Structures are given as C-alpha cells and as structure tokens.
Amino acid sequence: MGPPTLRGMGYANLRELQNALTTASDLASSLQSAPTRRDADQLVDVLRQALTAASSLGADTGPTGCAIHPHGAVDPLHGDPEDPLPPGYGKCLLCNDRRRRADAHPTHARPHARPHPRWRRRVGA
C-alpha cells in the first residue's frame, strides 16, 4: 500500500489543509523585512493548523489517533509544554478524560459479587 493520495483524503480535511496553507502563504507574503514576534507567532499557528490537517489526511484513526474515538475531540492539553499530559495519554479527549477520572477515583477492591444462594435459578425448573 503506497502513500495516501489526494483522491483518498476526506473533503473536510482537504479543505482545512488548503485554507491553512493559503492563509500561511498570505501571511508570509505580507511579512516585512523585520517581522514582529506577533507576525511570526501568527504564521507559526497557521502552519501548525496546516500540519495537523495534513497529518490527519491519511490516518485511518482520524485526528485523535484513537481507535475507539477516531473523530472525537483532541485534548487541548496535548502538546502543551507548560502543562504536559501524563505518560501514556494520547490526543483523544474522551479517553484522556476517562483516564483522569480513573486516576482521581481509584477503584476500590471489591469482592466478586455472587448472587445469594436463594436467588439462584434452579436448573431444570
């Protein structure tokens, strides 16, 4: 199986990539000889959007990289250098939320629940 082609890309992802690249091109063309930090940051943000859109084009698992929630929300803390996610966390907000809840409320050891003998159904009855 070869690399993904434009024909195999989702229309919404392709439009997102095209829009981000057009915006990045417009921003780069309008830069002065000494761009400000704000100009550079704005260009970097748009290029990151383009990179994210391009990365999700050929992925079978969607933008989250999650097999369970391929088109779910991406965790806004993913890639945040000031507040990094714990090891093992991915991009999927739904899975990360489940992990956060599990970490906040550790499961208590419960004995295996068996029905009371009086409640058991008789075989052949």
Side-chain angles (χ1 to χ4, degrees):
M1 185 175 205
T5 61
L6 289 178
R7 203 176 282 170
M9 298 176 182
Y11 179 76
N13 291 339
L14 180 58
R15 290 297 304 158
E16 184 178 350
L17 174 61
Q18 290 170 339
N19 289 338
L21 289 174
T22 300
T23 303
S25 178
D26 291 346
L27 287 171
S29 297
S30 68
L31 290 176
Q32 303 299 319
S33 60
T36 65
R37 180 79 246 159
R38 182 173 180 235
D39 293 336
D41 289 343
Q42 196 174 20
L43 182 58
V44 167
D45 287 342
V46 173
L47 288 171
R48 279 193 183 123
Q49 290 172 3
L51 183 59
T52 301
S55 296
S56 67
L57 289 175
D60 292 336
T61 58
T64 62
C66 176
I68 300 169
H69 312 105
H71 299 286
V74 174
D75 193 326
L77 294 179
H78 179 76
D80 185 352
E82 294 177 14
D83 190 12
L85 292 171
Y89 281 49
K91 286 184 179 180
C92 181
L93 178 64
L94 298 171
C95 289
N96 288 349
D97 185 54
R98 179 178 43 87
R99 287 182 186 104
R100 285 182 188 103
R101 289 173 192 256
D103 290 346
H105 304 291
T107 57
H108 300 287
R110 293 187 320 191
H112 180 67
R114 290 187 170 174
H116 191 275
R118 187 172 55 185
W119 298 335
R120 288 189 189 165
R121 190 172 175 202
R122 288 187 184 180
V123 179

